[in-house]
């Protein structure tokens, strides 16, 4: 329907003829006009919804039996909307605006703006910022609750696609066309989040899929088609959903798939169970870092270099022989034994160094920093898992440039 609102003429007083006061006065006046127009528009919608005011059950004329005021938070600030209840003597009642007003106390536009801010700053500051910038009023607790509630909506599509793939064998459609000459890279990692419930940490798992690189400046490469997925979920769920993302990015058409990880047990199991045809590669940075932790001294450089050289040649057993030949200091003996176990456990990922020149998972390290560290690890911050899940899903939307697509669908559903 077409809603015709008369905005009229805005009038305000200027204490001094300056651009600053003009700009501020005009903004306040327009907000007041926005609030009045919103109430007027909702009154027109109510009248249109009421239609022929005849009781569908007894045929008598409907009359207004009750009028209440409903507070609704809009971008221009809160308004009180008259909500009329129509009824007749037979007991039938109807409220035409019941299906128009938001189920909560805030418009979807205000919710979207508030959650957009919350992906960058804390909930309290988001509430304060949106009140300052738009006059919209929404509490930090409400934003927190809404972020948690949004996670299932964001995940609905990939959850359904994953269920179809692993339950019925329905392969997802490809969003990217690839050829057999291309290589698809799947890099996975995890970031730890302070757990408010236990006082310890829980892990947020993150993965990035990409195939194309472009040189954008000297020493700087852009991953043209990179897509991320992240969640607070078990390794099996994460792995299956990552496989769906990889298939949508053309994994089945690509000539080969390389899975890069830091050597964690859940990543190795994911490579084995969910990506059996992928070439699993241990991230070289993590390997070098582990070796340096055990042999950090300058005079131990030759040990480090020999061990890394053996690994790059695809010889993890050779690297173990080098490391065993050099006894560490007593305080680092336990770390030395853990290093040997780490190399044995990731022997396949080291042997595959000879099959590719892609050794690094810098793209997913950066994604973990953007999606997890910058928002979840601020000083004094801790999270419960449901709230963290909602926030990480919202962060992924922005990272993948899908924010407008998701909220466009939400606005369409609300129409």
């Amino acid at each position: 329907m077409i809603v015709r609102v008369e905005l009229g003429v805005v009038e305000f007083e200027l204490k001094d003829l300056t651009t600053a006061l003009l700009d501020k006065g005009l903004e306040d006046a327009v907000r007041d006009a926005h609030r009045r127009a919103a109430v007027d528009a909702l009154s027109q919608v109510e009248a249109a919804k009421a239609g022929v005011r005849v009781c569908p059950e007894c045929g008598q004329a409907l009359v207004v039996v009750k009028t209440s005021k409903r507070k609704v938070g809009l971008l221009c600030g809160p308004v009180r909307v008259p909500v009329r209840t129509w009824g007749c003597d037979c007991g039938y009642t109807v409220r035409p605006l019941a299906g128009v007003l938001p189920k909560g106390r805030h418009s979807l536009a205000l919710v979207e703006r508030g959650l957009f801010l919350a992906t960058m700053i804390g909930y309290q500051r988001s509430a304060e910022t949106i009140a300052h910038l738009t006059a919209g009023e929404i509490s930090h607790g409400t934003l927190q609750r809404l972020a948690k509630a949004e996670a299932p909506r964001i995940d609905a599509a990939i959850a359904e696609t994953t269920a179809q793939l692993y339950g019925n064998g329905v392969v997802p459609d490809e969003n990217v066309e690839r050829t057999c000459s291309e290589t698809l890279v799947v890099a996975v990692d995890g970031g730890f989040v302070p757990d408010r419930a236990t006082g310890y940490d829980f892990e947020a798992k993150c993965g990035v899929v990409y195939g194309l690189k472009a040189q954008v400046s000297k020493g700087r490469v852009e991953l043209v088609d990179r897509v991320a997925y992240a969640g607070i979920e078990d390794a099996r769920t994460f792995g299956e959903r990552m496989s769906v993302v990889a298939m949508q990015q053309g994994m089945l058409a690509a000539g080969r798939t390389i899975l890069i990880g830091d050597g964690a047990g859940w990543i190795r199991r994911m490579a084995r169970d969910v990506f059996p045809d992928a070439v699993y590669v241990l991230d070289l940075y993590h390997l070098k870092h582990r070796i340096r932790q055990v042999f950090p001294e300058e005079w131990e450089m030759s040990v480090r270099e020999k061990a890394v050289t053996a690994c790059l040649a695809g010889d993890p057993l050779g690297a173990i022989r080098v490391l065993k030949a050099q006894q560490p200091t007593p305080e680092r003996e336990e770390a030395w034994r853990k290093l040997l176990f780490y190399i044995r456990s990731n022997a396949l990922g080291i042997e595959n160094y000879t099959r590719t020149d892609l050794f690094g998972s810098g793209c997913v390290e950066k994604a973990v920093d953007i999606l997890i560290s910058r928002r979840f690890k601020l000083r004094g911050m801790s999270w419960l898992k449901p709230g963290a899940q909602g926030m990480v899903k919202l962060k992924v939307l922005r990272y993948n440039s899908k924010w407008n697509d998701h909220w466009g669908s939400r606005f369409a559903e609300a129409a």
Side-chain angles (χ1 to χ4, degrees), residues 143-173:
L143 285 174
Q144 190 173 23
R145 176 178 55 81
L146 291 170
K148 182 169 64 175
E150 201 63 29
R153 298 189 183 100
I154 298 171
D155 264 354
I158 194 168
E160 174 62 22
T161 305
T162 304
Q164 287 293 324
L165 174 62
Y166 286 92
N168 302 319
V170 179
V171 178
D173 295 332

Side-chain angles (χ1 to χ4, degrees), residues 212-230:
L212 299 176
K213 292 183 178 181
Q215 190 83 28
V216 294
S217 61
K218 185 177 181 180
R220 185 165 172 258
V221 174
E222 180 182 359
L223 306 180
V224 177
D225 56 352
R226 64 113 170 93
V227 174
Y229 177 79

Side-chain angles (χ1 to χ4, degrees), residues 3 30 71 104 124 150 152 168 199 217 230 236 247 249 258 283 288 299 305 352 365 371:
V3 177
V30 169
K71 184 179 178 180
Q124 181 65 45
E150 201 63 29
N168 302 319
S217 61
R236 185 73 190 186
M247 289 181 189
Q249 293 301 109
I258 296 176
D283 176 55
K288 289 181 176 179
W299 56 270
E305 290 178 345
N352 286 334
E365 297 283 349
L371 297 174

Side-chain angles (χ1 to χ4, degrees), residues 112-381:
E112 184 267 336
R113 302 284 178 87
L115 292 180
F116 185 88
L117 284 171
T119 61
M120 298 178 285
I121 56 179
Y123 289 117
Q124 181 65 45
R125 288 185 177 181
S126 297
E128 294 170 355
T129 302
I130 200 166
H132 179 73
L133 294 178
T134 71
E137 294 181 4
I138 186 167
S139 70
H140 70 280
T142 298
L143 285 174
Q144 190 173 23
R145 176 178 55 81
L146 291 170
K148 182 169 64 175
E150 201 63 29
R153 298 189 183 100
I154 298 171
D155 264 354
I158 194 168
E160 174 62 22
T161 305
T162 304
Q164 287 293 324
L165 174 62
Y166 286 92
N168 302 319
V170 179
V171 178
D173 295 332
E174 292 183 351
N175 298 330
V176 179
E177 293 184 3
R178 300 197 187 276
T179 65
C180 60
S181 62
E182 294 183 69
T183 295
L184 190 73
V185 178
V186 180
V188 292
D189 198 3
F192 287 96
V193 178
D195 190 348
R196 187 179 306 167
T198 65
Y200 297 103
D201 292 338
F202 57 82
E203 188 174 29
K205 296 176 176 62
C206 180
V208 175
V209 180
Y210 70 91
L212 299 176
K213 292 183 178 181
Q215 190 83 28
V216 294
S217 61
K218 185 177 181 180
R220 185 165 172 258
V221 174
E222 180 182 359
L223 306 180
V224 177
D225 56 352
R226 64 113 170 93
V227 174
Y229 177 79
I232 317 295
E233 49 208 23
D234 61 83
R236 185 73 190 186
T237 300
F238 175 81
E240 290 179 351
R241 293 186 176 184
M242 276 302 301
S243 71
V244 167
V245 175
M247 289 181 189
Q248 290 173 334
Q249 293 301 109
M251 180 176 71
L252 299 181
R256 66 173 179 168
T257 299
I258 296 176
L259 177 65
I260 305 176
D262 64 2
W266 67 268
I267 296 177
R268 297 197 307 271
R269 290 188 292 273
M270 187 178 83
R272 180 195 66 201
D273 299 336
V274 185
F275 290 88
D277 297 325
V279 178
Y280 170 60
V281 175
L282 177 65
D283 176 55
L284 185 59
Y285 169 81
H286 284 87
L287 175 63
K288 289 181 176 179
H289 179 69
R290 292 250 186 163
I291 294 174
R292 179 175 283 277
Q293 282 182 320
V294 181
F295 299 101
E297 305 299 335
E298 201 60 36
W299 56 270
E300 295 172 318
M301 181 185 297
S302 62
V303 178
R304 297 195 299 268
E305 290 178 345
K306 288 179 181 178
V308 172
T309 299
C311 289
L312 289 174
D315 185 12
L317 295 180
I320 289 174
R321 286 193 295 271
V322 169
L323 297 173
K324 277 187 172 182
Q326 181 68 43
Q327 190 70 20
T329 58
E331 63 269 18
R332 294 200 294 270
E333 188 170 346
E334 182 180 355
W336 174 66
R337 287 195 294 268
K338 289 181 178 178
L339 172 61
L340 297 178
F341 178 77
Y342 177 75
I343 293 176
R344 288 193 193 98
S345 301
N346 288 281
L348 178 62
I350 295 172
E351 290 169 1
N352 286 334
Y353 284 164
T354 58
R355 300 176 62 183
T356 178
D357 58 353
L358 296 169
F359 306 135
S361 59
C363 61
V364 74
E365 297 283 349
K366 183 66 174 179
V368 168
D369 177 49
I370 294 173
L371 297 174
I372 310 300
S373 301
R374 295 185 189 180
R375 182 63 179 87
F376 290 86
K377 295 186 177 182
L378 300 179
R379 186 168 56 183
M381 187 172 287

Side-chain angles (χ1 to χ4, degrees), residues 12 26 28 49 62 65 105 145 176 195 199 232 235 238 248 254 278 288 299 311 382 386 391 402:
F12 55 96
L26 185 58
D28 293 340
K49 284 275 187 181
L62 293 174
V65 296
R105 293 185 295 176
R145 176 178 55 81
V176 179
D195 190 348
I232 317 295
F238 175 81
Q248 290 173 334
K288 289 181 176 179
W299 56 270
C311 289
S382 62
M391 179 51 61
K402 294 295 183 182

Side-chain angles (χ1 to χ4, degrees), residues 12-28:
F12 55 96
E13 181 182 355
L14 278 179
K15 295 182 180 179
D16 197 3
L17 297 178
T18 65
T19 303
L21 290 178
L22 173 65
D23 195 18
K24 183 66 172 65
L26 185 58
E27 180 189 36
D28 293 340

